[in-house]
Amino acid sequence: MPKTKTSAQAPSAEKEEPRRDELQVGARLRHARLLEGIRIRELAERVGCAESMISKIENGKVAPSLTMLQRLVEALNRDLSSFFGTDINSPGLVQKQGERPITQTDAIRGGINVSYERLVPFAAGNLLEANIHRIGPGGEKVDQITHQGETLGYVIEGELELSIENATYNLNTGDSFFFKNHLTNRYRNPGTSETRVVWVNTPQIH
C-alpha cells in the first residue's frame, strides 16, 4: 500500500487562533490605534500588511507573531511596556503622581489642546473609565458620538464652559456635573490658564 505523506506546515507569522487572549492583544491594539487617531487602513500601511489582518487581530481571530506585534506597537508610537501596561488581573492599582500615562484626544471625537491623564488604565472588560481632562487655554472638545452610559465630572482647577445638547453651563473650581451619554456634549476652556477636570464615565469610550 502506498504510504500516506504528511505534509509539514510552514510556520506562519499569524495563527488563526487567539493564543494570547489572556493578554487581550486585540482590545489593546484597537485602543492604542484610536488614541493615535488613525484608521485600520493607515495602520496596515504603516506595518505593511493587509487591512483584514489588522481587523482579525483586533477582533481576537488572529494572534500576531512577536515580530508583527513589535511592528504594530512601534507604528503606534508606543513601546511594549506602555502597550501592555499593568497586570489586568491585579486586584488593585496605585499610581503615584507623575506616573499616570497622558494621551491626546482621539481624532474620532475631536479636540484641540486637550489631553487625558488616565486614572484607570485601559483594560478590556473594565466598566469604569476615569481621566483628568487637561484643557489648555482656548482648548475645546466636541463629542457628537452618543452611546449608552453616564458621565460625572468635577472641576479641580480653572474654568470650563460645558454644553449638553442645547444648554450651556459656566463652571469653576469645585463645580461638578452629571449627564446621560445619549446626549451630545462639548466643552471649552474660556480662561487663560489650564483647566483640569476629573471626568468619569461608563462604559469605557476612549
Side-chain angles (χ1 to χ4, degrees), residues 162-174:
L162 173 68
S163 297
I164 303 172
E165 292 285 287
N166 296 320
T168 299
Y169 308 90
N170 294 309
L171 293 84
N172 294 286
T173 301

Side-chain angles (χ1 to χ4, degrees), residues 124-141:
N126 283 350
L127 299 178
L128 182 68
E129 178 181 287
N131 301 292
I132 297 177
H133 287 213
R134 299 164 59 160
I135 314 151
E140 63 178 347
K141 175 176 172 287

Side-chain angles (χ1 to χ4, degrees), residues 107-157:
I108 293 176
R109 286 183 167 78
I112 301 172
N113 201 13
V114 175
S115 61
Y116 300 143
E117 182 177 344
R118 287 200 163 272
L119 299 175
V120 178
F122 171 76
N126 283 350
L127 299 178
L128 182 68
E129 178 181 287
N131 301 292
I132 297 177
H133 287 213
R134 299 164 59 160
I135 314 151
E140 63 178 347
K141 175 176 172 287
V142 179
D143 193 350
Q144 300 297 333
I145 302 176
T146 60
H147 53 90
Q148 295 302 310
E150 299 173 332
T151 289
L152 168 71
Y154 178 84
V155 182
I156 55 178
E157 180 182 9

Side-chain angles (χ1 to χ4, degrees), residues 50-64:
E51 291 181 54
S52 59
M53 179 58 68
I54 302 296
S55 179
K56 287 179 180 179
I57 294 173
E58 289 191 356
N59 290 314
K61 296 179 179 179
V62 168

